[in-house]
Amino acid sequence: MPAVTVRNIPDATHRALRLRAAKSGRSTEAEIRYILEEAVLPPQGRLKVGDAIHALAMKHGGFELEIPPRTDMPRAAVFD
């Protein structure tokens, strides 16, 4: 995977990146990758797994799932 070095980042920008990363629960490097991906990837490149499956299904005309009716009533959990 390619690496990119960015030089001469102002101290205030670096501090803001570190704070944003901490709030997001990511490392500063991971936060920078996230920001870059959000900025340059098209929306379909950022799909979540469920959205990607839905988009693929719709591309091929969609599909219908038959969901059988429930026959059993839910039971309470037993902790012995």
Side-chain angles (χ1 to χ4, degrees), residues 13-49:
T13 302
H14 189 250
R15 265 193 308 278
L17 278 168
R18 286 192 355 246
L19 288 171
R20 178 177 164 153
K23 288 179 183 176
S24 301
R26 292 186 274 260
S27 67
T28 303
E29 185 176 322
E31 186 68 18
I32 292 168
R33 279 194 303 269
Y34 176 81
I35 292 167
L36 288 171
E37 287 172 5
E38 288 292 309
V40 300
L41 287 180
Q44 64 269 21
R46 297 189 307 252
L47 288 178
K48 304 286 189 255
V49 172

Side-chain angles (χ1 to χ4, degrees), residues 8 14 18 20 25 40 52-53 59 71 78:
N8 302 319
H14 189 250
R18 286 192 355 246
R20 178 177 164 153
V40 300
I53 292 169
K59 180 175 153 184
T71 56
V78 177

Side-chain angles (χ1 to χ4, degrees), residues 44 47 50-63:
Q44 64 269 21
L47 288 178
D51 294 334
I53 292 169
H54 179 263
L56 180 63
M58 296 312 290
K59 180 175 153 184
H60 295 284
F63 56 88

